[in-house]
Amino acid sequence: MARVQRIVVKIGSSSVAGDDTPLHMPTIRRLVKEICQLRDAGVEVALVSSGAVAAGMGRLGLTERPRVVAELQAAAAVGQNLLVHTYESLFARRGVAVGQVLLTAGDILDDRQRYVNVRNTFRQLFRYGAVPVINENDSVGVVELKRQLGDNDMLAAYVANLVQAQLLVILSDVEGLYRRYSRGRGEELITEASGDDDMSGVIGRSASRLGQGGMATKIGAAQLLMACGEMTVIAHARKHRLADIVAGANVGTLFLPRGRRLGSRKRWIGYASPTQGAITVDDGAVAAITEQGRSLLPAGVTACEGVFATGDVVRIEDLRRREVGRGICRYAVAELAQILGRSSPQVRSILNRPAMEVVHRNDLVLT
């Protein structure tokens, strides 16, 4: 934790919303105070806040989360204004500016230029000393964002990936990840998890009527950042403190990074770029790119599908159609189809030019 200089904090709807009021002000006040304390200590913090729909429900007198898209969007439109105004006024009392950032899936996943533009916006907000307050653009993009990203847990992971935060803290109504669940209650808290741990048997579900996320989405968010070389902590919003988490206290569940930190370009290739097709490779090629760090050559490719051009990002799959990685392809699909399984001399003969790697190792990310 000593190297943490930038963090993303995500707080869930069940923690933001009050029981009898649209917002639970004691939790929000404490959160703002703790973010300002971290900021004063030199840590840059971005806040991903759920709660727009929940706050809108409270203001509109709704007791159950809407299921119809138009109703969700209406509740979000009402609640988003209340939520951001609350954050803005609380931060302003401490002399801190906030920058509201509403994101859709397209801002993160559609193309490289939009991705870079959003990243540059965050960088400038940090330079100004402002705290970015982020939410999905529920009022216009519910269906799109839920389909492509999931919920705010995954949005927070994508934001952390985008800004290269060393730590994502997911604050919820649970104290962390439990070894097992019985009658809806967690038993035996897991304090530390690594990439080698099997998570299939430890996924529970939030009982909240307000939020969308359960433990599965939180683990998915943590796994994305583990692959990027970053840490994630799942903790309780009303019991655990940010300063303790950043100081390395034994609270919640800490997910450790798998390996070295990925650079910005590889983060985009692996976890933010749209894929235009898939390449199937044999077992030898899988071993070459995963164990030996080599580039993918035409000789190891057995099939290709999709409509992709030179420079597009494609999925790399093994013979059992499991994704191994993603990368920028140096051939268009029509060219690649002609040279499947061919050696470099054969490729030169077929295409009448020197053979290239299908995906160079500098353009390849293992997923």
Side-chain angles (χ1 to χ4, degrees):
M1 291 287 185
R3 66 180 177 86
V4 171
Q5 296 180 318
R6 180 179 294 166
I7 73 172
V8 172
V9 177
K10 184 265 178 180
I11 187 165
S13 296
S14 60
S15 303
V16 169
D19 295 327
D20 302 314
T21 57
L23 298 175
H24 192 266
M25 292 308 299
T27 298
I28 296 176
R29 288 192 193 98
R30 196 185 83 173
L31 176 64
V32 169
K33 175 183 176 182
E34 293 180 0
I35 288 175
C36 289
Q37 288 172 341
L38 287 177
R39 179 181 170 278
D40 292 342
V43 178
E44 295 175 334
V45 185
L47 173 62
V48 176
S49 180
S50 297
V53 173
M57 288 170 55
R59 180 56 61 89
L60 295 170
L62 304 178
T63 57
E64 295 293 330
R65 184 181 175 91
R67 297 185 179 183
V68 178
V69 170
E71 294 174 353
L72 275 170
Q73 290 172 326
V78 173
Q80 187 66 42
N81 184 56
L82 174 62
L83 189 64
V84 172
H85 175 73
T86 300
Y87 281 122
E88 184 177 28
S89 62
L90 291 175
F91 276 108
R93 292 177 191 176
R94 297 178 177 274
V96 176
V98 300
Q100 181 185 15
V101 182
L102 294 177
L103 294 175
T104 67
D107 296 320
I108 298 174
L109 299 179
D110 269 2
D111 63 59
R112 174 71 174 168
Q113 189 56 54
R114 287 175 71 177
Y115 180 87
V116 170
N117 288 344
V118 173
R119 185 189 66 193
N120 289 342
T121 298
F122 281 114
R123 286 180 174 177
Q124 196 59 52
L125 285 170
F126 287 134
R127 290 192 189 102
Y128 285 148
V131 174
V133 176
I134 305 134
N135 202 339
E136 60 199 70
N137 197 353
D138 273 324
S139 61
V140 298
V142 165
V143 174
E144 176 211 15
L145 199 126
K146 291 294 186 291
R147 182 181 67 247
Q148 296 190 54
L149 289 185
D151 74 345
N152 266 2
D153 293 325
M154 288 305 300
L155 175 64
Y158 278 105
V159 169
N161 180 44
L162 180 88
V163 303
Q164 294 183 270
Q166 293 90 9
L167 175 66
L168 167 65
V169 178
I170 299 177
L171 298 175
S172 184
D173 54 3
V174 295
E175 295 190 34
L177 177 64
Y178 291 95
R179 187 74 58 189
R180 56 188 169 273
Y181 291 82
S182 176
R183 298 179 182 179
R185 295 178 64 112
E187 299 178 349
E188 192 180 343
L189 181 69
I190 299 172
T191 58
E192 193 172 283
S194 69
D196 297 328
D197 294 334
D198 181 10
M199 301 292 177
S200 59
V202 297
I203 297 176
R205 181 170 177 82
S206 170
S208 170
R209 65 183 172 84
L210 298 172
Q212 284 284 292
M215 191 54 71
T217 63
K218 292 172 178 56
I219 291 175
Q223 289 176 329
L224 186 154
L225 289 177
M226 291 165 79
C228 293
E230 311 294 10
M231 298 176 290
T232 300
V233 171
I234 298 174
H236 199 291
R238 298 180 186 176
K239 295 181 181 180
H240 299 147
R241 298 185 178 277
L242 286 178
D244 294 336
I245 293 170
V246 174
N250 190 22
V251 296
T253 300
L254 169 64
F255 292 81
L256 298 171
R258 288 181 191 167
R260 293 184 301 176
R261 299 183 73 205
L262 295 181
S264 175
R265 187 166 177 273
K266 284 204 169 185
R267 289 170 186 254
W268 177 79
I269 292 171
Y271 301 101
S273 61
T275 58
Q276 305 300 326
I279 294 172
T280 304
V281 300
D282 61 29
D283 292 341
V286 170
I289 64 176
T290 62
E291 299 172 14
Q292 302 168 26
R294 295 185 179 179
S295 299
L296 177 61
L297 303 177
V301 180
T302 63
C304 57
E305 63 181 42
V307 181
F308 55 87
T310 302
D312 282 344
V313 175
V314 296
R315 299 185 307 280
I316 301 170
E317 300 175 343
D318 65 16
L319 294 174
R320 289 158 288 284
R321 302 306 303 269
R322 297 175 301 191
E323 184 173 312
V324 176
R326 297 187 179 195
I328 297 175
C329 190
R330 296 191 170 190
Y331 292 96
V333 63
E335 290 182 322
L336 187 57
Q338 300 178 58
I339 57 174
L340 301 177
R342 303 292 188 175
S343 66
S344 293
Q346 291 173 320
V347 171
R348 183 183 185 107
S349 176
I350 294 169
L351 299 181
N352 198 31
R353 67 171 191 266
M356 299 183 294
E357 303 88 351
V358 177
V359 178
H360 192 277
R361 64 183 182 181
N362 292 342
D363 299 329
L364 189 154
V365 177
L366 301 178
T367 56

